[in-house]
Amino acid sequence: MKKTLWIIGSIVVGLFLAATIFYIVRKQQAVTQPVHRDSQAILSIAIDDLLLDNWKQLIRQSDTRRPSEDSSSRRAWREIFASGLHIPARVYFFSLEDKPATLFSIQRITNHRKWHAFLRRHFSDSILRNDGSFTAMNQHMALYSDEEHVVIALSLKKDAHATVAKKIGQERHTWRPVSDWSNLPYAFNRAHAAYWLTDDRFFVHANATDGNIHILGNWQLDTEVPSPSTVRQVDTGDYALSFRSVLPLKQTPLLPTFLATFSTPSSDSLMASYQNYVDLQVRP
């Protein structure tokens, strides 16, 4: 009996050590992921840590989902993991100074057969090319891949900058591992998600556990914060999402860009109209 318990205990300890080593190695490999040397901003999302820290929440959600919703979600995850791309422990995106509304990511291809099969399953054969596969998926997404890597471009605006993605993919001398950025904030590679302007003017990081998101950061403004002349009184309990800011929209360029994708006014018009106050409410 003692021998059996000893064997079972040894197996459990061995599996725990193997899982721990695997987790640590994946985290160390993630920071070798390349970004552009001229990145204006870098976004990181910790896939492994999000799953590990929220596995109970994920199980509860799967229990409350309808079968059709659960099966579609599982199919989507299976497709991603079977795409032939390396799925790192932490995914990094970056933006360039002249393309602030577009996020780029450089990922490694581990299985070319699976990668090309994935593209053909989800996208028209007419946009695939046998030479370096320069591909424009739609107005908000573009891909460029060679034999080893794929450059993914995601844009809020109706221009995913496919030509820029191709240029990034072809100019490998402009790539720089994330670990080479010596001035990265301490929490950048420890939070579940983090966004950092490389000139250190802005940094925000967030952690999500048990259905709650905790956000911290710092922000260097170009101007003094003005006093709003009129502030709308809103019962935030009636809304699924409520956001209020007393900062000029020029200090938050991504916000007017995001709003312009769902409204008639352009981002420039919004920035000119709302100098010192804006609120946003979304009903469920």
Side-chain angles (χ1 to χ4, degrees):
M1 182 68 179
K2 289 184 178 180
K3 184 177 181 180
T4 302
L5 291 175
W6 185 87
I7 293 174
I8 294 173
S10 299
I11 293 173
V12 171
V13 171
L15 290 174
F16 176 78
L17 289 175
T20 302
I21 293 171
F22 179 73
Y23 170 78
I24 293 173
V25 169
R26 277 180 55 80
K27 289 194 74 169
Q28 291 177 340
Q29 289 177 339
V31 295
T32 64
Q33 198 173 142
V35 296
H36 198 279
R37 67 185 180 190
D38 297 326
S39 297
Q40 178 208 36
I42 302 177
L43 167 69
S44 75
I45 301 174
I47 297 176
D48 284 12
D49 289 345
L50 276 169
L51 293 175
L52 287 173
D53 294 342
N54 294 275
W55 64 272
K56 290 183 180 179
Q57 184 77 8
L58 293 173
I59 291 175
R60 284 197 295 267
Q61 288 179 353
S62 64
D63 291 339
T64 58
R65 282 197 195 115
R66 289 178 297 181
S68 59
E69 293 176 340
D70 191 48
S71 60
S72 62
S73 175
R74 290 182 180 180
R75 280 198 303 269
W77 279 108
R78 282 198 298 267
E79 284 292 311
I80 292 173
F81 283 101
S83 64
L85 288 180
H86 172 65
I87 309 298
R90 182 179 293 269
V91 178
Y92 293 94
F93 294 87
F94 60 90
S95 62
L96 302 174
E97 185 173 2
D98 56 342
K99 305 290 185 297
T102 300
L103 291 173
F104 301 92
S105 184
I106 304 171
Q107 298 301 327
R108 180 162 50 89
I109 299 172
T110 57
N111 189 309
H112 292 89
R113 181 182 58 80
K114 289 184 177 180
W115 170 241
H116 287 290
F118 172 81
L119 290 177
R120 289 188 170 86
R121 279 198 305 273
H122 296 282
F123 305 102
S124 170
D125 288 342
S126 62
I127 60 176
L128 302 177
R129 298 180 181 177
N130 293 325
D131 55 347
S133 180
F134 171 35
T135 307
M137 297 303 183
N138 54 51
Q139 292 178 322
H140 297 283
M141 179 180 180
L143 299 176
Y144 172 80
S145 65
D146 56 19
E147 291 300 315
E148 297 179 0
H149 294 85
V150 57
V151 180
I152 305 167
L154 304 173
S155 180
L156 287 174
K157 295 183 176 180
K158 292 182 178 180
D159 185 354
H161 301 292
T163 54
V164 179
K166 180 178 181 179
K167 183 178 181 182
I168 293 172
Q170 292 178 335
E171 297 180 351
R172 290 200 182 187
H173 63 278
T174 63
W175 298 5
R176 180 181 176 185
V178 172
S179 56
D180 281 4
W181 295 82
S182 59
N183 58 330
L184 272 175
Y186 176 80
F188 187 78
N189 284 323
R190 292 166 177 81
H192 287 159
Y195 182 80
W196 172 61
L197 293 182
T198 55
D199 60 5
D200 287 325
R201 288 188 300 106
F202 179 82
F203 171 60
V204 63
H205 58 96
N207 288 292
T209 52
D210 297 327
N212 298 311
I213 300 176
H214 303 275
I215 303 175
L216 293 172
N218 55 71
W219 196 338
Q220 296 181 17
L221 301 178
D222 297 330
T223 59
E224 294 292 331
V225 178
S227 299
S229 56
T230 304
V231 176
R232 182 167 59 152
Q233 297 302 313
V234 177
D235 182 4
T236 57
D238 292 339
Y239 297 91
L241 172 66
S242 180
F243 174 82
R244 176 174 294 172
S245 173
V246 296
L247 298 175
L249 281 184
K250 289 183 179 180
Q251 298 289 334
T252 57
L254 282 180
L255 180 58
T257 301
F258 173 77
L259 293 176
T261 61
F262 300 99
S263 60
T264 303
S266 65
S267 58
D268 292 337
S269 175
L270 288 170
M271 285 190 285
S273 301
Y274 297 92
Q275 293 294 329
N276 60 0
Y277 170 74
V278 64
D279 65 41
L280 171 68
Q281 283 79 38
V282 178
R283 291 186 183 277

